[in-house]
Amino acid sequence: MFITITRSMLRRVAAAAAAFAVVAALFMMFPQGKTEQTAAADGNWGLSFRAEGQQPEGNVSAGELRQWDAYYVGDPAEKVIYLTFDAGYENGCTAAILDALKKHSAPACFFVVGNYIDTAPELVLRMVQEGHIVGNHTLHHPDMSAIQDEVSFSAELDGLADKYRELTGEEMKKFYRPPQGKFSESNLAMAQKLGYRTIFWSLAYVDWYTDDQPTDEQAFSKLVPRIHPGAVVLLHSTSATNARILDELLAKWEALGYRFASLEELAGEKAE
């Protein structure tokens, strides 16, 4: 079979080739599809889990956060867990949590607000006496990302630190957790200027609704498979479930080869 190629056909082939070349050049200049974006340090803290047993991705990377002395996760090669508890008020659960931590020689950081120091001073003193960090969760628990001026921002952190000093006679260790995980780049910079390390988290679950607490099985199903090297775990001290399961939970994590460490280790400091 023979095909006769005419001049007209050749011209059409040449035109098509030229058009293809232009399109190819445009694709090289302006790549199509999803491109990697640098997350802006503004908004709500969020996580994306890729696989069980692996560190999740934050909506701001660990590398980006470090420029503001901020952290959400530790070394991906080391099976260490950093335990943190947000303590907005006392709900009768903290003593049992402290008992479990003591049993396992597990240091933790309790991020408290002004109301907590006012209403549960004996528990704050116990935290300190048993070697835990009492962290700064602000005086009034506002949306700190809505605060743009340094005076108002520092008043929330300094006010809480003043209460802590009055109670304990000691200076508060400068670890700060933004209420509700709401933050902005300017917040991170202001906290750093005040000498604080901002602490987010890499593992948490819905444990804060006191009238709708998860069952033990639901808690274990979230907290055991998703544990990962360098995990910064956020639990709420108001949770009856957490108080009930913590001893067993810590034992399960230890059985997986994990140890517990202070946030001072995460921040590259030597614990006192």
Side-chain angles (χ1 to χ4, degrees):
M1 180 179 181
F2 296 96
I3 298 175
T4 301
I5 300 175
T6 66
R7 290 181 180 180
S8 176
M9 291 175 63
L10 287 173
R11 283 195 295 269
R12 287 197 294 269
V13 170
F20 178 81
V22 170
V23 172
L26 289 172
F27 267 77
M28 294 177 66
M29 293 172 63
F30 305 105
Q32 303 298 299
K34 184 178 179 180
T35 58
E36 185 176 350
Q37 300 289 333
T38 300
D42 292 284
N44 297 313
W45 178 247
L47 295 168
S48 174
F49 284 85
R50 297 168 293 178
E52 289 186 358
Q54 294 184 15
Q55 292 186 345
E57 295 180 354
N59 55 3
V60 183
S61 73
E64 289 177 274
L65 287 174
R66 277 194 293 272
Q67 68 183 303
W68 294 291
D69 295 324
Y71 305 85
Y72 86 94
V73 73
D75 188 340
E78 189 171 2
K79 297 187 82 171
V80 58
I81 296 171
Y82 305 96
L83 295 168
T84 70
F85 294 85
D86 283 4
Y89 60 96
E90 179 48 35
N91 195 39
C93 301
T94 305
I97 288 171
L98 287 167
D99 289 344
L101 294 171
K102 186 175 184 179
K103 178 179 178 179
H104 292 265
S105 299
C109 180
F110 289 84
F111 286 98
V112 304
V113 298
N115 170 71
Y116 196 93
I117 294 178
D118 291 339
T119 59
E122 71 286 351
L123 287 170
V124 175
L125 290 171
R126 182 181 170 186
M127 293 168 190
V128 176
Q129 291 163 358
E130 296 184 359
H132 303 296
I133 294 172
V134 177
N136 200 320
H137 204 34
T138 71
L139 186 60
H140 300 107
H141 202 265
D143 175 358
M144 295 294 278
S145 67
I147 298 177
Q148 302 299 321
D149 64 287
E150 292 187 10
V151 173
S152 299
F153 184 90
S154 62
E156 280 293 330
L157 275 66
D158 292 346
L160 192 282
D162 289 345
K163 283 183 177 289
Y164 178 85
R165 186 187 310 107
E166 292 167 6
L167 174 65
T168 66
E170 301 175 1
E171 294 297 323
M172 174 172 265
K173 293 182 178 179
K174 292 196 169 184
F175 291 93
Y176 157 63
R177 172 163 285 157
Q180 304 175 65
K182 293 181 180 292
F183 70 105
S184 67
E185 183 173 323
S186 63
N187 287 170
L188 297 175
M190 286 188 282
Q192 182 184 50
K193 186 175 180 179
L194 292 170
Y196 279 89
R197 279 62 50 87
T198 300
I199 307 297
F200 294 103
W201 59 88
S202 63
L203 178 60
Y205 79 121
V206 180
D207 63 346
W208 56 86
Y209 296 117
T210 56
D211 58 349
D212 187 21
Q213 281 287 285
T215 65
D216 296 8
E217 292 72 21
Q218 288 170 333
F220 287 134
S221 71
K222 296 291 186 182
L223 296 170
V224 176
R226 285 187 170 184
I227 199 62
H228 51 270
V232 177
V233 179
L234 162 60
L235 301 173
H236 285 81
S237 64
T238 54
S239 168
T241 299
N242 290 342
R244 189 171 59 248
I245 71 168
L246 188 60
D247 178 20
E248 185 178 353
L249 177 63
L250 298 182
K252 286 179 181 291
W253 283 338
E254 287 172 324
L256 293 172
Y258 285 89
R259 67 178 179 88
F260 307 107
S262 167
L263 288 181
E264 289 172 307
E265 181 177 314
L266 176 66
E269 302 172 4
K270 185 178 180 180
E272 296 178 1

